[in-house]
Amino acid sequence: MKKPQVPYNHLSIESKWQKVWEDTSAYKALDNSDKPKFYSLIEFPFPSGSGLHTGHIRSNVAMDIISRKRRSEGYNVLFPIGWDAFGLPTENYAIKTGIHPIEATKQNTDTFRRQLKTLGFSFDWSREVNTSDPEYYKWTQWIFLQMYKKGLAYKHKMAINWCPKDKIGLANEEVIDGKCERCGTQVEKREKEQWMLAITKYADRLDKDLDTVDYLERIKIQQRNWIGKSEGSEIEFKVSVGEKNINVFTTRADTLFGVTYVVLSPEHSLVSEWKEKITNKKEIEDYIASVKSRTEIDRTSEGKEKTGVELKGIHAFHPITNEEIPIWIADYVLASYGTGAVMAVPAHDERDNEFAQKFNLRIKEVIEPLLIGERGADAVKEDQPFIERQVAAVVVKHWEKEEYLVIKWTKSDWVGFVTGGIDKNEDVATAALREVEEETGYTDLEVANIADRKVHAKFYQLLKKENRFAHYQPVLIHLKSGARKEVDSGELAIHTTEWISKDKIEAILAGNSMRHILWSLIQPEKPLTDDGLLKNSDVFSGMSSDEARKAITEAAGGKMVTTFKLRDWIFSRQRYWGEPIPMIHCKKCGWIPVPEKDLPVTLPLVAKYQPTDSGESPLAAISEWVNVKCPTCDSDAKRETDTMPNWAGSSWYFLRYTDPHNKNAFAGVDKLNHWTPVDWYNGGMEHTTLHLLYSRFWHKFLFDIGLVPTAEPYKKRTSHGLILAEGGVKMSKSIGNVINPDEIVENMGADTLRLYEMFMGPFDQPIPWSTDNIVGSRRFIERVWNTHYKVSNEAQVGSKVESMLHKTIMKVGEDIESMSFNTAVSSLMILLNTLEKEEAVSKEVFETFLKLLAPFIPHVTEEIWSELGNKESIHSQRWPQYDKLKTIDSVITIAVQINGKTRTTVEIEPGNTEEIVTKKALEIPEISKWMEGKNVRRIVFVKDKIINIIVDLKTE
């Protein structure tokens, strides 16, 4: 008897299975399982007062899909959750609403917990952690004390960024265009003692060890850019006064002969030492005062106009030529980077060039471009010698339009300008005119400019079959008219010509020597910042940059060194809502750690938690908490009243998940050995610099003292794109465009929301929300629901369905691993389309389809699975396997092209050779028609994709 069809009711289905999963602890990770472990991690949420929004859900759904797949593959999965609960947003929310941060945090975490549970995430809720819980932050404080004992935590007086509205010290990264990132208030500078963590001692390892982990390349780039490792030279410039000289750090010692001035940071100690020798002392003092109020990021941000003043009455000497060089102070040089001094080479550095142009300083070019073919048809053949050639490289300008002539070669992917060797009896102008006429036919020519700068290139010359070391002399020729003679057929056979605008030329030629030829003629003032061949550099002229860096450093009496842009981490915050820093100050003993037996140092429960105008933490006013006895000498002492930044608790939370209830250690050795490192960590790109860097630093420190088993915390790190509001703008509570998931779950279902967030677009890209499009995900689920009523044990499985099923198994599995969730969903939709056309659907086929779909929409698949008579959860079933032979099409369709244009298609068995496909293509009537009276020049064949028949242009 056929089962009566019941409408899909998401509310009853989702609440039913969420209760079952919770009651049975379905997703609890086992510490003593024989299965291989898989640790899946999301960035734990900051529970704000506004609750969860759809942007938070994207990462959670993705890692839930991966976690569910791993369980089906036989892994013991740890997929934990917790709360990053300390920090400024909660405190600001508390100040605004009058709700104490403790109560606000409880309300917010309760809301987030409820929302996450309604979405069916397979978190192990038994491991929930909260960074503001004393049982948690006891161990944050304990780790800080271990750092203090090892000399990594220290106190230092420094100028900090101060937000007068939020009344808090800000790290450089929290200041945007001189304003507080959170409230937009203009930032001030204040001198203050701060606790620091010496992350710089780990800079080299933080950089090098990125080679050992599976992170997205853009994440590694962000990490390395922030660390800022530079291999370079330290070179000394003697000065006309005093005994101290100027030490500069440079990565470009090869440009030393191009130095035309030296720049010091306004804060450089030598400036104050020389003040009595400086003849424009008042001008210098006024300038230094004007720079003091500006942040480092503001001073060095791209596009900011650079300012500076020359130190008159003092000059430096070039370390090799002994030439006198002016000394300037300028805002674009920072005391905190390198030595606080820069040797300025305006011909080869964009900042120096901009400064030199503004102040009319000398610009001396000492590098010419050198390009080396490394891939494609032009790649240098390592086993062959180089043939050197002096070459005219000609940029031809149109007689009326702002367009230039390019040459496109037919036997390679090379695009460039007219080029040709300069014969013994020719000058460059004569050679240029001859080559243009021979290659293009244009005859009404005028030499407009011959560049001072040569461009050098090493490449493989495909026609001559030899390595070339070409020295291009750029020449600009203006056509006076379009007068043109017939071009030799031999020239036509090897290249074509095309007129292109300057902007398009730059895009086409990006990265090859032709780009430099264009710039040399059209934008000669643009600095050449790449490596190249030296000129105007005495005995070093003709050397490559790589060769010259060390040789020039030695000649200048310098040394090769490694520096880092990374600075020590400012760890103090003058706020209430954070972990108290467990230190006590005694007038006799100095700074003394709180005894470990007295941890945690808990936050006092106070009514007044607003920040102070003085810049002190609100804790400073609580005398009964502040005043204590020194643990060493028992004298009167005071607690540290600064608290830790919100980065502190998030720097090690992934370790606490392994053993969240341990009262004797931050985690037990056996649990850490079993679960760490994290196998796959996903989070936002906005956290792939600082959070990732800080947590890697803490983990490496714990590894060094023998408390964790690996040097890196995460094997793999990926990131997702933001979900934008409708219209493509960022979601913001202040403008009312945040999408509340509660309404969607209520009206359309958690499964619909999960599916839509995975289907809406590529996971790694920002995607705008669309209320209209989410309806499509709901309809798909309803179709899945309705199709299950067609399932039959007796239904036959046709070859088409079987092939598509195995292709879908392969596609979905691969797409989940590459986080291509949108295409995985698309392939499941295609399979459903096929199943819907069947009169009856095989139970085995449909159950396999459900297993593939289950990680995406866990509630409805669990319900259908149960209705099909299965007793055990679908989420405990083995992941489907595919038969590779059944994924291969018996017939494929390939495009048949004539000169790159598709004229028809042909169906053929996969894997056929070029000869067979060509024969079949030429037999097609449509192709026969196109081939009449034409000669086949060559065939371009891409196996199982296309066949392109290139015919003689002259006879087409």
Side-chain angles (χ1 to χ4, degrees):
M1 182 176 173
K2 193 172 183 180
K3 186 178 177 182
Q5 191 162 327
V6 177
Y8 169 56
N9 185 328
H10 66 269
L11 291 174
S12 63
I13 291 171
E14 290 172 1
S15 60
K16 167 187 172 181
W17 288 109
Q18 285 163 17
K19 186 174 187 309
V20 170
W21 297 334
E22 187 161 357
D23 290 347
T24 59
S25 299
Y27 305 119
K28 186 170 183 177
L30 303 176
D31 292 323
N32 54 359
S33 171
D34 292 332
K35 295 179 179 180
K37 71 93 179 177
F38 184 80
Y39 188 169
S40 173
L41 186 67
I42 58 164
E43 289 171 350
F44 61 165
F46 190 97
S48 65
S50 58
L52 195 69
H53 67 72
T54 52
H56 295 122
I57 297 169
R58 200 176 193 191
S59 175
N60 298 10
V61 175
M63 292 313 296
D64 190 51
I65 289 168
I66 289 163
S67 299
R68 289 178 180 278
K69 180 172 182 280
R70 287 292 184 275
R71 290 192 192 95
S72 292
E73 290 171 332
Y75 286 86
N76 176 31
V77 174
L78 171 57
F79 186 35
I81 189 64
W83 316 111
D84 190 8
F86 268 139
L88 190 60
T90 292
E91 189 167 318
N92 284 347
Y93 175 77
I95 292 166
K96 182 179 178 181
T97 62
I99 302 171
H100 196 281
I102 293 175
E103 182 58 32
T105 297
K106 184 180 184 309
Q107 289 180 10
N108 296 343
T109 53
D110 287 347
T111 298
F112 267 61
R113 188 184 300 105
R114 173 190 59 77
Q115 290 179 310
L116 290 174
K117 286 188 174 182
T118 63
L119 286 158
F121 296 123
S122 60
F123 294 128
D124 180 352
W125 285 98
S126 70
R127 295 173 185 258
E128 182 180 347
V129 300
N130 185 321
T131 59
S132 66
D133 181 348
E135 289 298 309
Y136 181 92
Y137 71 73
K138 167 184 178 178
W139 299 107
T140 309
Q141 293 174 337
W142 183 87
I143 295 170
F144 174 86
L145 290 183
Q146 309 318 304
M147 289 186 165
Y148 179 79
K149 291 173 187 175
K150 296 291 184 181
L152 293 179
Y154 63 97
K155 202 150 196 191
H156 175 62
K157 190 168 188 178
M158 62 186 301
I160 66 166
N161 305 311
W162 177 260
C163 175
K165 181 178 179 183
D166 284 336
K167 298 173 184 174
I168 187 174
L170 301 173
N172 280 337
E173 59 272 11
E174 296 171 312
V175 180
I176 307 297
D177 292 329
K179 296 176 181 177
C180 175
E181 180 186 35
R182 298 179 181 92
C183 69
T185 303
Q186 190 69 36
V187 169
E188 302 170 356
K189 283 284 188 181
R190 286 197 183 184
E191 287 280 327
K192 189 152 186 64
E193 280 200 332
Q194 300 283 291
W195 282 101
M196 312 286 291
L197 293 186
I199 190 173
T200 51
K201 292 184 178 180
Y202 282 76
D204 195 40
R205 286 169 61 189
L206 287 166
D207 182 273
K208 284 181 179 176
D209 287 357
L210 288 168
D211 292 332
T212 70
V213 290
D214 180 14
Y215 290 3
L216 292 176
E217 190 57 33
R218 60 180 178 154
I219 294 175
K220 289 187 178 184
I221 289 170
Q222 281 196 359
Q223 290 266 292
R224 286 196 159 112
N225 287 346
W226 194 264
I227 295 165
K229 183 177 181 178
S230 296
E231 304 281 355
S233 310
E234 203 167 89
I235 296 173
E236 188 174 79
F237 285 72
K238 290 182 179 177
V239 182
S240 60
V241 298
E243 296 181 359
K244 292 186 179 178
N245 298 321
I246 299 172
N247 284 310
V248 303
F249 170 80
T250 178
T251 60
R252 294 299 305 273
D254 55 313
T255 65
L256 185 62
F257 284 86
V259 174
T260 58
Y261 62 100
V262 174
V263 193
L264 305 182
S265 72
E267 305 87 352
H268 200 290
S269 61
L270 287 176
V271 179
S272 59
E273 288 186 31
W274 295 337
K275 63 183 177 182
E276 300 306 322
K277 303 287 185 180
I278 297 170
T279 58
N280 58 335
K281 179 179 172 183
K282 179 69 168 60
E283 184 183 15
I284 295 297
E285 288 174 343
D286 290 346
Y287 178 73
I288 291 171
S290 72
V291 172
K292 262 188 176 177
S293 62
R294 297 170 59 197
T295 67
E296 290 186 358
I297 288 178
D298 180 45
R299 283 165 55 177
T300 57
S301 60
E302 199 172 323
K304 283 281 183 184
E305 184 179 2
K306 290 164 182 58
T307 63
V309 179
E310 184 180 357
L311 297 180
K312 293 179 180 175
I314 301 175
H315 57 263
F317 298 96
H318 192 283
I320 295 179
T321 67
N322 212 34
E323 176 188 5
E324 287 189 7
I325 298 171
I327 303 171
W328 287 66
I329 58 172
D331 57 354
Y332 74 93
V333 179
L334 304 177
S336 59
Y337 181 63
T339 63
V342 167
M343 60 175 225
V345 188
H348 304 292
D349 181 274
E350 289 183 1
R351 296 182 314 161
D352 296 342
N353 185 271
E354 184 183 333
F355 191 84
Q357 299 269 9
K358 179 176 179 179
F359 292 101
N360 199 29
L361 299 173
R362 189 162 64 100
I363 298 173
K364 179 186 178 184
E365 193 168 272
V366 293
I367 301 286
E368 290 181 330
L370 171 63
L371 281 296
I372 300 174
E374 294 178 339
R375 56 183 174 269
D378 303 324
V380 168
K381 306 291 185 187
E382 297 294 338
D383 58 340
Q384 293 188 25
F386 283 95
I387 307 300
E388 290 204 44
R389 291 271 285 170
Q390 299 297 325
V391 181
V394 193
V395 179
V396 180
K397 187 178 180 298
H398 197 276
W399 58 95
E400 290 177 342
K401 303 174 186 176
E402 191 63 35
E403 292 182 344
Y404 299 87
L405 196 68
V406 294
I407 301 290
K408 294 188 173 182
W409 290 75
T410 55
K411 291 192 177 181
S412 75
D413 56 0
W414 193 86
V415 178
F417 302 116
V418 173
T419 60
I422 303 172
D423 294 337
K424 284 183 179 180
N425 299 323
E426 284 183 316
D427 60 17
V428 64
T430 305
L433 293 167
R434 173 178 54 75
E435 286 293 338
V436 172
E437 190 170 323
E438 286 177 2
E439 292 192 19
T440 72
Y442 288 105
T443 57
D444 200 359
L445 314 172
E446 179 182 63
V447 175
N449 183 29
I450 298 175
D452 291 333
R453 177 195 299 167
K454 282 190 177 182
V455 179
H456 310 272
K458 291 183 175 182
F459 60 95
Y460 184 71
Q461 223 287 0
L462 195 63
L463 291 175
K464 302 290 186 180
K465 293 185 169 38
E466 64 186 20
N467 281 335
R468 284 279 178 87
F469 188 5
H471 308 284
Y472 295 104
Q473 182 69 65
V475 180
L476 178 62
I477 285 182
H478 287 173
L479 292 186
K480 292 184 283 185
S481 72
R484 195 176 190 183
K485 69 178 184 180
E486 187 175 344
V487 179
D488 182 83
S489 60
E491 293 286 349
L492 287 174
I494 59 175
H495 58 68
T496 59
T497 60
E498 186 175 340
W499 290 102
I500 296 180
S501 69
K502 178 181 154 188
D503 289 344
K504 286 184 179 176
I505 287 179
E506 288 198 6
I508 291 170
L509 304 181
N512 74 28
S513 58
M514 299 294 109
R515 167 180 61 120
H516 293 290
I517 289 166
L518 179 74
W519 284 350
S520 299
L521 290 163
I522 311 302
Q523 298 172 296
E525 75 286 350
K526 192 165 184 174
L528 172 69
T529 57
D530 298 334
D531 286 358
L533 288 185
L534 274 65
K535 68 175 183 177
N536 300 326
S537 298
D538 197 36
V539 297
F540 306 99
S541 294
M543 276 191 181
S544 70
S545 289
D546 275 347
E547 293 174 300
R549 273 193 269 272
K550 187 175 181 182
I552 289 179
T553 300
E554 290 174 352
K559 60 182 178 180
M560 305 301 292
V561 295
T562 301
T563 66
F564 297 89
K565 188 170 68 174
L566 182 67
R567 292 291 165 258
D568 280 350
W569 176 6
I570 301 173
F571 202 66
S572 297
R573 296 293 184 270
Q574 294 73 44
R575 299 301 292 245
Y576 169 75
W577 192 237
E579 302 92 335
I581 294 176
M583 299 295 292
I584 293 170
H585 190 263
C586 171
K587 288 183 178 179
K588 294 180 181 178
C589 305
W591 284 106
I592 303 295
V594 170
E596 291 180 13
K597 65 180 178 58
D598 294 336
L599 298 179
V601 177
T602 56
L603 273 177
L605 188 59
V606 294
K608 186 178 180 182
Y609 43 80
Q610 287 77 4
T612 63
D613 291 322
S614 66
E616 295 299 316
S617 163
L619 296 174
I622 309 169
S623 56
E624 64 273 22
W625 186 82
V626 173
N627 296 319
V628 293
K629 293 293 183 181
C630 172
T632 301
C633 71
D634 206 37
S635 299
D636 289 343
K638 293 183 180 294
R639 289 190 189 281
E640 172 59 78
T641 58
D642 284 358
T643 54
M644 299 183 190
N646 60 304
W647 298 105
S650 64
S651 291
W652 71 280
Y653 74 108
F654 54 93
L655 298 173
R656 188 63 174 172
Y657 281 142
T658 67
D659 197 6
H661 309 297
N662 194 322
K663 295 186 181 298
N664 301 313
F666 67 85
V669 173
D670 56 337
K671 307 290 178 61
L672 290 166
N673 286 339
H674 178 72
W675 287 113
T676 63
V678 174
D679 292 284
W680 195 331
Y681 187 18
N682 188 79
M685 275 302 293
E686 68 274 19
H687 294 143
T688 55
T689 302
L690 295 179
H691 159 63
L692 203 59
L693 200 65
Y694 293 158
S695 61
R696 291 179 62 224
F697 163 49
W698 277 47
H699 193 83
K700 286 182 180 298
F701 167 71
L702 294 172
F703 174 74
D704 287 350
I705 62 174
L707 297 181
V708 295
T710 61
E712 283 288 330
Y714 322 113
K715 281 185 179 179
K716 182 171 185 170
R717 168 74 193 210
T718 51
S719 288
H720 56 277
L722 292 173
I723 291 184
L724 305 172
E726 297 201 60
V729 298
K730 192 171 182 179
M731 287 191 188
S732 169
K733 189 174 67 170
S734 62
I735 58 177
N737 62 359
V738 173
I739 309 295
N740 188 332
D742 287 349
E743 296 173 13
I744 299 170
V745 170
E746 177 71 22
N747 297 326
M748 288 192 165
D751 281 342
T752 296
L753 178 55
R754 290 171 61 107
L755 188 71
Y756 173 63
E757 293 221 6
M758 293 297 96
F759 184 56
M760 64 193 301
F763 183 71
D764 63 342
Q765 297 176 20
I767 301 292
W769 182 268
S770 171
T771 302
D772 293 336
N773 290 347
I774 195 173
V775 175
S777 294
R778 167 72 185 202
R779 287 179 184 147
F780 171 75
I781 294 172
E782 289 174 347
R783 287 167 52 207
V784 173
W785 177 261
N786 293 334
T787 303
H788 100 265
Y789 288 104
K790 295 171 65 175
V791 170
S792 167
N793 286 321
E794 287 75 40
Q796 298 297 309
V797 182
S799 59
K800 183 178 179 182
V801 170
E802 185 178 43
S803 175
M804 181 166 286
L805 177 67
H806 283 266
K807 285 181 185 177
T808 307
I809 296 169
M810 180 174 69
K811 176 72 172 161
V812 172
E814 290 173 352
D815 282 355
I816 289 175
E817 296 306 316
S818 65
M819 301 192 110
S820 304
F821 301 108
N822 58 323
T823 55
V825 173
S826 178
S827 65
L828 287 163
M829 290 177 170
I830 293 168
L831 178 57
L832 180 65
N833 291 342
T834 300
L835 297 181
E836 284 178 317
K837 293 172 185 175
E838 300 288 304
E839 287 187 17
V841 177
S842 157
K843 185 171 185 285
E844 183 182 353
V845 168
F846 195 73
E847 286 185 344
T848 301
F849 168 69
L850 288 177
K851 289 176 188 177
L852 297 174
L853 196 54
F856 296 86
I857 49 175
H859 306 89
V860 66
T861 49
E862 186 83 283
E863 177 71 9
I864 296 172
W865 181 260
S866 175
E867 289 211 355
L868 291 175
N870 297 293
K871 302 300 181 187
E872 294 182 355
S873 170
I874 190 172
H875 303 295
S876 65
Q877 304 305 302
R878 294 294 295 180
W879 187 254
Q881 302 298 304
Y882 63 88
D883 183 338
K884 193 163 186 178
L885 291 176
K886 292 177 181 177
T887 66
I888 300 171
D889 291 316
S890 57
V891 175
I892 58 170
T893 301
I894 69 170
V896 182
Q897 299 179 337
I898 303 290
N899 285 357
K901 293 183 180 180
T902 301
R903 300 301 184 183
T904 187
T905 60
V906 60
E907 288 194 346
I908 202 159
E909 291 180 356
N912 265 310
T913 63
E914 178 179 342
E915 290 74 19
I916 293 173
V917 176
T918 301
K919 184 175 183 296
K920 186 150 188 172
L922 293 173
E923 290 172 353
I924 301 170
E926 294 98 317
I927 299 302
S928 300
K929 178 186 71 176
W930 281 101
M931 294 297 298
E932 286 179 12
K934 297 181 177 67
N935 298 318
V936 176
R937 187 145 37 99
R938 59 193 175 105
I939 302 288
V940 177
F941 177 68
V942 181
K943 195 171 186 178
D944 293 344
K945 299 288 184 183
I946 64 164
I947 180 167
N948 183 13
I949 304 169
I950 309 296
V951 299
D952 195 322
L953 290 170
K954 290 196 298 183
T955 56
E956 187 179 344

